[in-house]
Amino acid sequence: MSRIYDRVALIGLGLIASSMFWAIKRAGLAGEVTGYARSEATRETARRIGLCDRVCDSAREAVEGADLVVLCVPVGAMGAVAEEIAPVLKPGATVTDVGSVKRDVIQSVHPHIPPGVHFVPAHPLAGTEHSGPESGFAELFDNRWCLLVPVEGTDPDAVARLRALWEGMGSNVDEMEADHHDLVLAVTSHTPHLIAYTMVGVADDLRRVTDSEVIKYSAAGFRDFTRIAASDPTMWRDVFLTNKDATLEILGRFTEELFALQRAIRTGNGELLHDYFTRTRAIRRGIIDAGQDTDAPDFGRAKAKS
Ligand SMILES: NC(=O)C1=CN([C@@H]2O[C@H](COP(=O)(O)OP(=O)(O)OC[C@H]3O[C@@H](n4cnc5c(N)ncnc54)[C@H](O)[C@@H]3O)[C@@H](O)[C@H]2O)C=CC1
Ligand SMILES: O=C(O)C(=O)Cc1ccc(O)cc1
């Protein structure tokens, strides 16, 4: 893979930025990669582990001369960072982000982008429950989707170049409109995270009754919830505050369905429960057949097809 940008600047050196750095280096997609993190401790860690070719002590220093600037901070901090770097953005450069919410990021970042600089919002649908500069790895984006959410009138060449970067980092790339993105992600990621946080919170509330049995006898379902509920609190606080409408819409539907299932349990309506679980099982099999679950073990595929 050949070089796509001469200079890339990563602002916020956590899971996503560090994974981008290693993925960019793996494929030789950029000349120099600079980085900036707000805390001195993070910058020191980055220097120690060789994360970024040059770690800078200010966001402006990292951004100066960059052809691509990637905002990798929590969604609620995107606007302030964009405002801070705006005066030093190079004419013709592209600013992008990796935020989990798109409408709010566009509204807070776009007004700060000077004329002659391109803005192409993006969202890699790949992550883990870990955060910080040491959590990244080059393979994070392999065979995962990255959604580009360009605002109307964006230079197609700037979009094509960013697409090439994400493809070079191993992703499949699609384009999507911002509100649609936020609704889809409310269903597939944001509400599920909220449910996981809630379920682990409920288990914790019950701790006095169950002692440590909840942890000791954790079955796979609860373990999955605890993994997700270990995700970064700042990042997820910002996701819910900025994707409020879509999350509330999906939560409303979720609670309606939950009450229907609750009623079926209370009234002993086994047929309803069985029909419901049959429908949801088909959805899981559809995901596996479409090759969308790259984590699924092979026996899962074999079973799904039988
Ligand atoms: N963690 C995940 O699984 C995924 C996260 N995202 C998005 O990527 C972005 C970054 O997430 P992660 O890398 O996971 O977070 P992280 O917590 O690992 O790293 C965030 C970095 O931003 C810095 N930061 C926080 N506030 C800042 C501010 N006001 N100014 C400058 N730096 C600041 C932190 O010190 C840290 O270095 C978020 O917007 C998140 O929504 C997107 C896809 C997956
Ligand atoms: O770890 C998980 O289960 C995830 O769901 C990762 C993830 C978190 C946030 C995103 O915006 C995209 C992907």
Side-chain angles (χ1 to χ4, degrees), residues 76-85 108 112:
M78 296 278 184
V81 173
E83 186 175 14
E84 155 83 16
I85 61 170
S108 57
H112 301 295

Side-chain angles (χ1 to χ4, degrees), residues 127 203 258:
L258 192 64

Side-chain angles (χ1 to χ4, degrees), residues 15-16 98-101 123-130 185 188-190 193 227-228 231 235-236 239:
L15 169 73
I16 301 298
V98 295
S100 304
V101 177
H123 180 200
L125 306 187
T128 72
E129 68 279 24
H130 302 296
L185 266 291
T188 58
S189 177
H190 304 168
H193 271 79
R227 182 188 73 76
I228 292 171
S231 301
M235 169 187 154
W236 284 99
V239 166

Side-chain angles (χ1 to χ4, degrees), residues 131-170:
S131 54
E134 294 179 280
S135 58
F137 52 100
E139 299 78 21
L140 179 65
F141 309 115
D142 285 349
N143 296 315
R144 301 284 170 170
W145 285 105
C146 179
L147 300 175
L148 303 185
V149 185
V151 291
E152 240 186 72
T154 307
D155 176 23
D157 288 345
V159 179
R161 249 173 119 189
L162 188 66
R163 173 186 277 271
L165 181 82
W166 278 104
E167 286 174 350
M169 289 192 290

